[in-house]
Amino acid sequence: WYQRRVNLIITKKCRDRTGTMKTSSFIEQDSPKKIERSDAGRTKFGDAFEGTHAAHKASFGLINAIETHSPGAPRSEDRRMDVVYALNQSSNLQIKTSHGNVVLDERRDARIAKAFVEGTPIEGKTTARRAHIAYHATAEHEPLHKYSEAIGELRVKNEETGGFYKVKNAHKYL
């Protein structure tokens, strides 16, 4: 049984996790459209002693990747602050482990940003689930509707059938 398990592990297809991507790779850093990260309006925080963070369901990194690669003029300072306050609402924050926030969420957000920027489908159930969570989180706040529409239209590769579905329909497949 041990040899069979080793063979299964060796032959199992896994995504490459070397050189983990960051959302910052997909943000035009010098863009006048970039929205600076801020804690303005934030009421939920993690606990350093417990090793937790208040993690954004829709992150600043993902929002900036979409914003800096979308057509249109930059938002006014007031409209940018509306986005910041919406991102920092308690409904867009959840308490998670620091590893879950800094490593796992960042990796999945980078995959979503890559799919948006390159026009490729999202692959992997955990990344599709993360995109679906971001889609719903952005749909709850008017200043974020633009991002909800963009995330909802992203394609996801269905690993079981080989076909595709949109993030906004992910609840049928996950």
Side-chain angles (χ1 to χ4, degrees), residues 15-27 59 61-62 65 101-118 120-124 127:
R15 287 187 306 276
D16 183 19
R17 287 180 172 81
T18 57
T20 301
M21 293 183 292
K22 302 277 188 197
T23 52
S24 58
S25 305
F26 301 99
I27 299 170
S59 70
L62 179 57
N101 183 29
V102 175
V103 177
L104 302 178
D105 285 355
E106 177 64 21
R107 179 189 301 153
R108 292 170 185 147
D109 285 349
R111 290 180 190 147
I112 299 164
K114 180 180 182 189
F116 178 81
V117 171
E118 296 179 358
T120 57
I122 293 170
E123 294 187 23
T127 305

Side-chain angles (χ1 to χ4, degrees), residues 138-156:
T138 52
E140 292 179 17
H141 304 284
E142 189 278 323
L144 305 178
H145 286 177
K146 166 186 172 179
Y147 310 110
S148 181
E149 291 172 16
I151 295 167
E153 291 299 317
L154 291 174
R155 293 178 311 136
V156 178

Side-chain angles (χ1 to χ4, degrees), residues 60-128:
F60 276 91
L62 179 57
I63 296 304
N64 272 313
I66 294 169
E67 181 68 26
T68 61
H69 286 89
S70 296
R75 294 174 180 259
S76 69
E77 191 58 34
D78 287 345
R79 299 301 293 160
R80 285 177 199 236
M81 288 310 292
D82 290 345
V83 171
V84 169
Y85 275 94
L87 287 173
N88 286 331
Q89 291 295 306
S90 290
S91 60
N92 187 45
L93 296 167
Q94 58 188 349
I95 302 298
K96 297 182 94 169
T97 65
S98 56
H99 176 77
N101 183 29
V102 175
V103 177
L104 302 178
D105 285 355
E106 177 64 21
R107 179 189 301 153
R108 292 170 185 147
D109 285 349
R111 290 180 190 147
I112 299 164
K114 180 180 182 189
F116 178 81
V117 171
E118 296 179 358
T120 57
I122 293 170
E123 294 187 23
K125 279 193 174 187
T126 58
T127 305

